[in-house]
Every structure is written in structure tokens, then in C-alpha cells.
Amino acid sequence: MTATTFRRALAYEWIKFRSVRSLVWTTVAAAALPVPGAAFVAATGSLQTDDTVLGGSLTFSVPALMLAAVLGALVVCGEYGSGTIRVTLAAVPRRGTVLAAKATLVAAPLYALALPATTAAYLVGDAMLGEEYAQGEPMPALLGVAAAFSVAGLLGLAVGTLLRHSAGAITAVLALLLLPSMLGPLLGDAERWVAGVSPTAALEKLIQTSDATADAVGSLSAWPSLLLVTGYTTLALLVATALLHRRDV
């Protein structure tokens, strides 16, 4: 993959991205959720006494993370659904380059939007909530939260490339985000191992919510949890790349 080929592929992907309303609005929604969520939690007084300002302010970062994963799936599945993937691969025959350009276009904007959005949400929550709550440690946690959005988007991209169908990919990636924490309590002592591997568990640890207890999401700390999620997302992308090379479109 040469730099020129990658830049050309990235330019193509950017044109397609900004031309598809579902992609644009999903990105906007993911970035917009945290701030009104922080205001809602503070205004309704629904923050638990043992929670942190950071955790309460970023309560809506979990559904925003889900939207980031959906965005990743739509970036590739939309092209399979419309058949434009054939045009894309004709213009850039190097399939790994195409997927790398899509991954860049998913991860970079999500990080660039999530960091100011979650920072603003924390500042809103800090301004509205009383001093009776612990603050939490916003830095470097907010950097990790933004990275979690990018990783979730890449996980969605990997699942979308593997399944090539929008509904199936969205269902699968949302299941990866939600089912571990839903099924964990049914598994007794294994709960911490099952629930602790999900992207949402890493996010909850980063925002230091009171729900992220060792019994519920494992004793692995926030940054190693994010590294674990990044690791299996990378593996999923590698598998997706290999299948993209082998399968017909």
C-alpha cells in the first residue's frame, strides 16, 4: 500500500461518507448525546450518592458508544446493500487499502468529536451538580473515553465487513456491546469475566461510574480493559481483511 493509493482511497471514502445522510446523522447523534445527557442527569437529581460527577455526566456515553459501533457497521454494509462496493474495489483494487481508509475515516472523526463532546458533558455536569459528589479524575480518562468511541466504531466496521448485511451487523455489534453485561449476572462467579470483556465495561471503568464494581465488570483496571478491547477489535479487523481478500463481491 503506497501513500498515494491510500490518500486516494481516503478521498473516495470521504466523498461517500459525507454524501450518505445516515452516516452523517449517526455521527452527529453520537457526538451530541453526552451533553444533553449530562444536563438531564443533573437536572433530575438522578445521580447516585456514591457516584462521581464524571460518571454521572457521561451516563449517556453508553448509548453514544452504541451509535459509534453502528456507524462503523454502516460504513461498509451500506455499500454492500447498494452494490457500490464493486465500484469502490474497481477504483481501488487493493482491498486492504480500502478497509484501511474506511477504518481511518471511522476512527479519526469519532475521536475528534468524542473528546470535546465528553469534555463538554463533564463540564456541564460539574457546573450543575453539587459539591456533595466526588469529582472523579477526568484526565486522562476523557482521552480514553474518546479512544473507546473509535475502538467501538472499528469493531462495528469489522463486524460489518464480516457479515456484509446492515441489519445483521448492527444486531451483532450491539449484542457484543450489551449481552456480556446482561448475561453476566446469570453466570454467578463468571460474571466478572464475561461482563468485563465488553467495550461498555471498559467505558464504565474509564468514566469511574459506581456501577463498574469488580464483582460486575472484573478487577482489570480501566486502561488494561481498553487495551483488551482494542486487541480483539484489531484481531477482528485482521480476520475481516483476510475474508475481504478471499470473497467475491
Side-chain angles (χ1 to χ4, degrees), residues 50 191-192 195-196 201 204-205 208-220:
D50 60 343
E191 176 183 359
R192 64 178 62 191
E204 289 175 352
K205 293 176 185 179
Q208 300 147 45
T209 176
S210 59
D211 295 330
T213 63
D215 290 338
V217 292
S219 57
L220 198 64

Side-chain angles (χ1 to χ4, degrees), residues 5 7 17 24 27 31 38 47 84 104 108-110 115 117 132 135 144 154 167 184 198 203 212 221 226 248:
T5 303
R7 286 196 297 269
F17 186 94
V24 174
T27 306
L47 186 63
T84 55
T104 303
L110 281 175
L115 182 57
E132 65 268 23
Q135 285 293 311
L154 292 176
S198 70
L203 180 67
S221 60
L226 180 60
D248 293 331

Side-chain angles (χ1 to χ4, degrees), residues 135-157:
Q135 285 293 311
E137 298 178 5
M139 283 296 174
L142 289 170
L143 300 176
V145 171
F149 274 68
S150 294
V151 173
L154 292 176
L155 182 61
L157 178 66

Side-chain angles (χ1 to χ4, degrees), residues 14-215:
W14 169 242
I15 292 171
K16 289 182 289 184
F17 186 94
R18 61 187 176 87
S19 301
V20 180
R21 291 183 179 180
S22 60
L23 299 181
V24 174
W25 284 111
T26 302
T27 306
V28 170
L33 267 179
V35 172
F40 177 79
V41 169
T44 57
S46 54
L47 186 63
Q48 300 177 27
T49 55
D50 60 343
D51 213 335
T52 63
V53 171
L54 178 64
S57 300
L58 296 185
T59 299
F60 278 35
S61 62
V62 174
L65 189 79
M66 295 164 59
L67 286 175
V70 168
L71 173 67
L74 290 177
V75 163
V76 63
C77 289
E79 287 201 69
Y80 277 106
S82 64
T84 55
I85 189 66
R86 297 184 182 88
V87 179
T88 296
L89 296 180
V92 184
R94 293 181 178 271
R95 299 188 176 190
T97 302
V98 171
L99 194 58
K102 290 182 182 295
T104 303
L105 195 61
V106 168
L110 281 175
Y111 189 92
L113 292 171
L115 182 57
T118 53
T119 301
Y122 167 70
L123 293 175
V124 168
D126 186 37
M128 295 181 65
L129 291 168
E131 296 181 357
E132 65 268 23
Y133 299 104
Q135 285 293 311
E137 298 178 5
M139 283 296 174
L142 289 170
L143 300 176
V145 171
F149 274 68
S150 294
V151 173
L154 292 176
L155 182 61
L157 178 66
V159 173
T161 305
L162 291 170
L163 299 184
R164 303 193 294 181
H165 186 274
S166 296
I170 291 171
T171 301
V173 75
L174 291 181
L176 288 173
L177 265 65
L178 296 177
L179 282 183
S181 60
M182 294 173 64
L183 297 178
L186 305 177
L187 302 176
D189 293 338
E191 176 183 359
R192 64 178 62 191
W193 302 106
V194 175
V197 301
S198 70
T200 50
L203 180 67
E204 289 175 352
K205 293 176 185 179
L206 285 164
I207 65 176
Q208 300 147 45
T209 176
S210 59
D211 295 330
T213 63
D215 290 338

